[in-house]
Amino acid sequence: MKVLIETSARHIHLTTEHLEILCGKGFTLEEKKPLSQPGQYVSTTRLDVVGPKATIKNVVVLGPVRPKTQVEVSMTDARTLGMVAPIRESGDVAKSAPVKIAGPRGSIEIEEGVIIAKRHLHMTPEDAKKAGVKSGDIIMIDVNTPERGIIFKDVVVRVSDRFATAVHIDTDESNAANASYDMNTPLYGEIIK
Ligand SMILES: [Zn+2]
């Protein structure tokens, strides 16, 4: 079965409390453009992620707000920041890397929250049934790109009726696969079980 492959650039998810510390009391996120996952969006807010070694400026905040603040970076970003972050599924931030986030009105220091996202396949229940997979399954995705075709192992399947079917990889993985060789055409990969 063919599935859409999307690259997630570094981004921040915030709690309401942290958003207000960083951007001011009563501040709310404004949608700039929707993401493929229903209800999720790129906001107009950008903040600085401050690591022990360097700062990465203007990191996009995704909406809506979440129950936990989380920063998703690539392994290259983690190295630039000067930290070691674990590879995790989104939301699983326990004992992940600490970081400082700086905004226009204030800053926060969190003891955990920086992760490198484990590559994953969002699926609707209909598509999961068609493909014969379920939440938690680990599959492979075969990506046929010019010069850098690759098979990604260790792709975790997540099924929900709130999802649209798409594989999410980070920018390191995307570059390793030459995934942006044609910016005008969506990239698809093949599920291998
Ligand atoms: Zn995702």
Side-chain angles (χ1 to χ4, degrees), residues 21-22 100-103 105-109:
I21 294 170
L22 291 158
K100 182 177 169 183
I101 303 172
R105 302 289 291 275
S107 64
I108 58 167
E109 283 191 56

mmCIF file of all heavy atoms in Angstrom, residues 21-22 100-103 105-109:
data_model
loop_
_atom_site.group_PDB
_atom_site.id
_atom_site.type_symbol
_atom_site.label_atom_id
_atom_site.label_comp_id
_atom_site.label_asym_id
_atom_site.label_seq_id
_atom_site.Cartn_x
_atom_site.Cartn_y
_atom_site.Cartn_z
ATOM 1 N N ILE A 21 3.421 32.527 29.581
ATOM 2 C CA ILE A 21 4.684 33.027 30.143
ATOM 3 C C ILE A 21 5.558 33.588 29.010
ATOM 4 O O ILE A 21 6.156 34.656 29.116
ATOM 5 C CB ILE A 21 5.456 31.915 30.901
ATOM 6 C CG1 ILE A 21 4.682 31.478 32.155
ATOM 7 C CG2 ILE A 21 6.866 32.394 31.285
ATOM 8 C CD1 ILE A 21 5.250 30.223 32.822
ATOM 9 N N LEU A 22 5.601 32.863 27.893
ATOM 10 C CA LEU A 22 6.495 33.231 26.785
ATOM 11 C C LEU A 22 5.969 34.415 25.977
ATOM 12 O O LEU A 22 6.747 35.252 25.512
ATOM 13 C CB LEU A 22 6.688 32.022 25.857
ATOM 14 C CG LEU A 22 7.494 30.863 26.461
ATOM 15 C CD1 LEU A 22 7.182 29.556 25.752
ATOM 16 C CD2 LEU A 22 8.985 31.173 26.376
ATOM 17 N N LYS A 100 15.811 25.359 27.494
ATOM 18 C CA LYS A 100 15.230 26.677 27.760
ATOM 19 C C LYS A 100 14.555 27.162 26.476
ATOM 20 O O LYS A 100 15.092 26.961 25.379
ATOM 21 C CB LYS A 100 16.344 27.641 28.181
ATOM 22 C CG LYS A 100 15.848 29.026 28.521
ATOM 23 C CD LYS A 100 17.017 29.900 29.010
ATOM 24 C CE LYS A 100 16.580 31.354 29.083
ATOM 25 N NZ LYS A 100 17.671 32.245 29.475
ATOM 26 N N ILE A 101 13.385 27.753 26.618
ATOM 27 C CA ILE A 101 12.695 28.352 25.468
ATOM 28 C C ILE A 101 12.513 29.834 25.774
ATOM 29 O O ILE A 101 12.077 30.194 26.878
ATOM 30 C CB ILE A 101 11.317 27.693 25.216
ATOM 31 C CG1 ILE A 101 11.466 26.175 24.995
ATOM 32 C CG2 ILE A 101 10.620 28.328 24.006
ATOM 33 C CD1 ILE A 101 10.137 25.425 24.925
ATOM 34 N N ALA A 102 12.868 30.682 24.814
ATOM 35 C CA ALA A 102 12.767 32.125 25.018
ATOM 36 C C ALA A 102 11.743 32.728 24.061
ATOM 37 O O ALA A 102 11.732 32.421 22.863
ATOM 38 C CB ALA A 102 14.133 32.781 24.810
ATOM 39 N N GLY A 103 10.871 33.570 24.613
ATOM 40 C CA GLY A 103 9.845 34.240 23.817
ATOM 41 C C GLY A 103 9.917 35.732 23.989
ATOM 42 O O GLY A 103 10.777 36.235 24.731
ATOM 43 N N ARG A 105 8.016 37.733 25.638
ATOM 44 C CA ARG A 105 7.616 38.282 26.933
ATOM 45 C C ARG A 105 8.236 37.573 28.123
ATOM 46 O O ARG A 105 8.051 38.013 29.269
ATOM 47 C CB ARG A 105 6.078 38.230 27.048
ATOM 48 C CG ARG A 105 5.356 38.990 25.950
ATOM 49 C CD ARG A 105 5.514 40.498 26.102
ATOM 50 N NE ARG A 105 4.796 40.992 27.257
ATOM 51 C CZ ARG A 105 3.496 41.311 27.245
ATOM 52 N NH1 ARG A 105 2.784 41.178 26.141
ATOM 53 N NH2 ARG A 105 2.907 41.744 28.335
ATOM 54 N N GLY A 106 8.922 36.473 27.866
ATOM 55 C CA GLY A 106 9.518 35.738 28.979
ATOM 56 C C GLY A 106 10.177 34.476 28.485
ATOM 57 O O GLY A 106 10.227 34.227 27.279
ATOM 58 N N SER A 107 10.703 33.704 29.431
ATOM 59 C CA SER A 107 11.328 32.446 29.038
ATOM 60 C C SER A 107 10.983 31.363 30.053
ATOM 61 O O SER A 107 10.586 31.667 31.184
ATOM 62 C CB SER A 107 12.842 32.617 28.920
ATOM 63 O OG SER A 107 13.383 32.940 30.181
ATOM 64 N N ILE A 108 11.116 30.127 29.636
ATOM 65 C CA ILE A 108 10.870 28.988 30.528
ATOM 66 C C ILE A 108 12.054 28.037 30.447
ATOM 67 O O ILE A 108 12.748 27.970 29.428
ATOM 68 C CB ILE A 108 9.574 28.214 30.170
ATOM 69 C CG1 ILE A 108 9.615 27.703 28.719
ATOM 70 C CG2 ILE A 108 8.344 29.082 30.394
ATOM 71 C CD1 ILE A 108 8.535 26.681 28.393
ATOM 72 N N GLU A 109 12.270 27.333 31.546
ATOM 73 C CA GLU A 109 13.257 26.252 31.531
ATOM 74 C C GLU A 109 12.522 24.991 31.925
ATOM 75 O O GLU A 109 11.945 24.920 33.004
ATOM 76 C CB GLU A 109 14.394 26.561 32.509
ATOM 77 C CG GLU A 109 15.367 27.579 31.945
ATOM 78 C CD GLU A 109 16.648 27.706 32.767
ATOM 79 O OE1 GLU A 109 17.320 26.678 32.958
ATOM 80 O OE2 GLU A 109 16.939 28.834 33.199
#
